[in-house]
Amino acid sequence: MKTEKFQFPGSDGQLLAASLDLPDGAPVAYALFAHCFTCGQNVLAAKRIAEGLAKHGIATLRFDFTGIGASEGEFANTTFSSNIGDLVLAADHLRKTRQAPSILIGHSLGGAAILAATSMIPEAKCVATVAAPSDPSHVTHWFKDQIPEIREKGEIEVSLAGRPFRIKREFLDDIAEHKLTETVSKLHKPLLIFHSPTDDTVGINNATHLFVAAKHPKSFISLPGADHLLSQKRDAVYVADMIAAWATRYLDAAAPAEAASANPPAGVVVVSETGAGKLQNVIAAGRHRVLADEPLDVGGMDSGPGPYDFLLGALGACTSMTMRLYAERKSIPLTRTTVTLKHSRIHAQDCEECETKEGMISKIDRTIAMEGNLDAEQRKKLMEIADKCPVHRTLTSEIKIVTSAVE
C-alpha cells in the first residue's frame, strides 16, 4: 500500500492538504472520507479506515477541511456548507485525476456533511456513516454555554478537544438551516450506519433517527464497546472490513454507469443509467456530472431534473448568456436577466404562424425579466437578440438526429 500526498483548491480557493491511500494493485473503487469536527485527515480513525480499505483494493481520499491540519484558510471562516463544498471539490479532484468516488464515508460531523454532499456527487453508489449526528447542530453542544456570547459578539474563541478554535455567528446560522433527516429521506442511495451504543459524544439515538428517515436499502451495524473516535484500532479495522464487504454488492450493480466515469471530450455528452432506481441517469459533459430523473409519480426518484427540464434550461441559459454578451459589447446597463420557461403541447390548428396544421405541436413559453437602467429601445433590442441565441436557432431550425448502435 502507498499513500500519495497532494493539495487541491477548496470551496474558498484555499489549498487543502490531502492523502490518497492506494492499494498495491489497480483500485477496484475509489472512496471519499470526511473526518470528524475539528479533527484532521490523520486522526487515527480516518487513517486506519483508509488503510483498511486499501487492503481490500479500495483507494481512499482523506483531506483536511479548510483551516484544519495542513490545509490553508481560517477555521473561523468555515461553515457546515463550506465543508460540504470542500467535499464536492474533493470528489471533483478525484474525478479529474483518477476516478470519481463511488463510496462516500463520513465520521461524526463528517458523516452529516457526507450525507448532505451525496446529491452533488452523482457517481456515488453507496454511503456509510460512523457515529454521525442526525442534526448537524448537535455539534454546538460542545460549546452550548458560549452560544449567547457568540451571537452577541459575532465571534469568540472556544475550547474543543483541548484546542482553541474561533466560532462565528455565521457558523451557528448556517448549521441551523440544514435539516439532515429530510436530506436522508431523499438520499436514494444504499446507506450503512455504524454507531456505538456507548458513544457518549453523539448518542445512539442519532443513529435511530437517521435509520428511520432513510429508505431501503439501509443497514445498521452496532459497535459495542467502541468510543466516539474509534480510538481502538480493532474498531476502525472492523469498520473498514464491513464497508468493503457491504459496498461490493452495490459497486457490481452499478456497472452500467461506468461509461460516465471518464471525462468525455469537448462537445460530447455521455448519458448513462446509474443503476439507482428505474429512470435515474448521470449526464457527463467534460468534468461535470448532473443527475437526470423523473418525478415519483411517473416512476422516477425525483433525484434530478427531467429531460424537458434540461431542454428548457439549455434554452434559458443560452438566452441569458447571449443577451449578456450583447449587452457588454454594446455597453448596455443590463444588471441581471431572469428567463422563465414552460413547455406544453397544443393543437397545431391553434398556431396561426406554424407550418404544421394537424395534430399536436410543442410550445415553449419564454418570459424574460431584465433589470437595469434600460430605455425602451435597449429593451427592444435585447428582446430581439434573445431570439438569436444558438439554442433557440437550433430548436427552430430543421434538425437531423442520426442514431446508431454500439456493437
Side-chain angles (χ1 to χ4, degrees):
M1 188 196 79
K2 63 178 179 178
T3 301
E4 291 186 0
K5 303 285 187 179
F6 54 90
Q7 295 177 310
F8 67 92
S11 56
D12 65 353
Q14 304 283 357
L15 290 178
L16 306 185
S19 298
L20 180 63
D21 295 288
L22 293 159
D24 292 331
V28 297
Y30 284 80
L32 174 61
F33 188 98
H35 59 69
C36 53
F37 187 56
T38 74
C39 298
Q41 59 170 309
N42 292 318
V43 67
L44 285 177
K47 192 171 186 296
R48 288 168 174 169
I49 290 174
E51 291 174 348
L53 290 171
K55 292 179 180 178
H56 291 281
I58 299 172
T60 304
L61 172 63
R62 49 192 169 94
F63 68 96
D64 293 328
F65 285 114
T66 300
I68 294 290
S71 288
E72 296 178 348
E74 293 294 331
F75 178 84
N77 295 329
T78 65
T79 62
F80 187 65
S81 292
S82 71
N83 285 347
I84 296 170
D86 286 347
L87 285 168
V88 173
L89 289 173
D92 187 51
H93 180 82
L94 266 183
R95 182 182 297 116
K96 290 187 289 186
T97 59
R98 296 277 186 161
Q99 179 179 308
S102 52
I103 307 170
L104 304 182
I105 308 165
H107 180 203
S108 192
L109 188 66
I114 209 77
L115 289 169
T118 297
S119 64
M120 291 172 272
I121 309 174
E123 298 93 340
K125 308 303 184 295
C126 50
V127 187
T129 64
V130 183
S134 57
D135 183 352
S137 61
H138 180 280
V139 72
T140 61
H141 86 280
W142 291 323
F143 48 87
K144 61 182 179 181
D145 294 337
Q146 295 164 285
I147 289 179
E149 187 179 0
I150 295 172
R151 293 210 170 275
E152 178 185 353
K153 296 182 178 179
E155 176 184 354
I156 68 167
E157 185 176 280
V158 303
S159 178
L160 300 173
R163 293 179 293 156
F165 291 91
R166 299 200 69 81
I167 302 293
K168 288 186 176 182
R169 184 191 299 121
E170 289 80 3
F171 177 87
L172 301 178
D173 294 340
D174 177 80
I175 209 164
E177 293 179 358
H178 291 270
K179 308 302 179 185
L180 194 59
T181 51
E182 293 181 13
T183 300
V184 171
S185 69
K186 301 173 183 176
L187 194 64
H188 304 304
K189 304 280 186 184
L191 175 63
L192 175 58
I193 299 171
F194 292 92
H195 217 111
S196 169
T198 54
D199 189 334
D200 57 6
T201 301
V202 178
I204 189 68
N205 60 306
N206 286 271
T208 301
H209 295 324
L210 291 175
F211 189 83
V212 170
K215 303 295 190 297
H216 284 291
K218 55 183 176 180
S219 305
F220 172 77
I221 294 180
S222 181
L223 300 173
D227 59 19
H228 182 68
L229 292 178
L230 302 188
S231 56
Q232 296 185 78
K233 183 176 181 179
R234 65 179 186 182
D235 293 325
V237 171
Y238 176 74
V239 167
D241 290 344
M242 292 300 100
I243 290 176
W246 165 80
T248 301
R249 181 182 188 93
Y250 304 106
L251 297 177
D252 290 343
E258 289 177 357
S261 61
N263 292 340
V268 176
V269 175
V270 177
V271 182
S272 303
E273 290 183 304
T274 65
K278 185 166 62 174
L279 300 174
Q280 188 187 78
N281 281 258
V282 59
I283 300 173
R287 65 183 181 86
H288 304 290
R289 300 295 185 276
V290 185
L291 287 178
D293 205 344
E294 288 284 11
L296 296 171
D297 57 0
V298 294
M301 299 189 300
D302 199 27
S303 60
Y308 274 100
D309 297 327
F310 281 107
L311 178 67
L312 295 178
L315 176 59
C318 183
T319 300
S320 178
M321 293 174 184
T322 302
M323 294 172 68
R324 168 58 53 203
L325 292 173
Y326 181 83
E328 290 188 355
R329 190 166 62 249
K330 297 296 184 179
S331 298
I332 296 175
L334 176 66
T335 58
R336 185 179 182 182
T337 301
T338 302
V339 185
T340 304
L341 306 103
K342 181 180 179 182
H343 172 263
S344 60
R345 298 279 290 172
I346 63 171
H347 292 285
Q349 61 187 19
D350 294 333
C351 179
E352 295 182 359
E353 66 273 22
C354 295
E355 295 181 5
T356 302
K357 297 302 179 184
E358 296 181 358
M360 305 291 289
I361 61 171
S362 285
K363 176 188 177 188
I364 295 177
D365 289 297
R366 176 175 54 180
T367 303
I368 303 174
M370 292 171 282
E371 299 176 25
N373 187 23
L374 307 171
D375 58 35
E377 186 59 31
Q378 289 171 328
R379 287 180 176 274
K380 178 182 177 183
K381 188 60 181 178
L382 286 169
M383 289 298 290
E384 292 175 0
I385 292 299
D387 285 341
K388 296 181 179 180
C389 93
V391 173
H392 181 114
R393 289 180 171 179
T394 298
L395 291 174
T396 54
S397 64
E398 184 176 357
I399 302 175
K400 182 179 182 181
I401 299 176
V402 179
T403 305
S404 58
V406 177
E407 295 298 333

